[in-house]
Amino acid sequence: MINREVEAGCWDHPVKELTSETLMTFVHFFDWDQTDYMDYRYARVVIDSCPSNQGLVGKHALIETPYVEFFQKPGS
């Protein structure tokens, strides 16, 4: 899920898939339910580079954690 506007909290952007060339930075784990058991099903990320759709750069996205691979940036 990609947000429509960075601070809007609306996760209904028409783009539903990103290509493997898309680069993202991890922000934090995310869970919709703040009052019950939190399983952190999503990773909230910022889209840093998206060759197939430059309009997505800077937007936040929620990726289901089973589909996320984490890598440390060189020099970090």
Side-chain angles (χ1 to χ4, degrees):
M1 292 175 271
I2 302 170
N3 67 347
R4 220 180 323 147
E5 301 297 329
V6 174
E7 298 300 325
C10 297
W11 300 95
D12 59 353
H13 194 282
V15 174
K16 301 296 180 198
E17 293 184 17
L18 300 171
T19 63
S20 61
E21 291 83 24
T22 303
L23 298 176
M24 297 166 270
T25 299
F26 176 78
V27 176
H28 58 76
F29 288 106
F30 179 86
D31 196 304
W32 291 108
D33 191 350
Q34 301 293 311
T35 61
D36 199 6
Y37 174 78
M38 297 176 72
D39 60 2
Y40 296 107
R41 184 175 170 183
Y42 299 95
R44 185 171 180 163
V45 300
V46 174
I47 300 171
D48 296 322
S49 170
C50 185
S52 63
N53 190 333
Q54 290 297 317
L56 298 178
V57 174
K59 292 192 178 292
H60 287 223
L62 297 175
I63 311 291
E64 288 188 75
T65 51
Y67 301 106
V68 176
E69 290 184 57
F70 293 94
F71 298 94
Q72 186 172 358
K73 288 182 182 178
S76 297

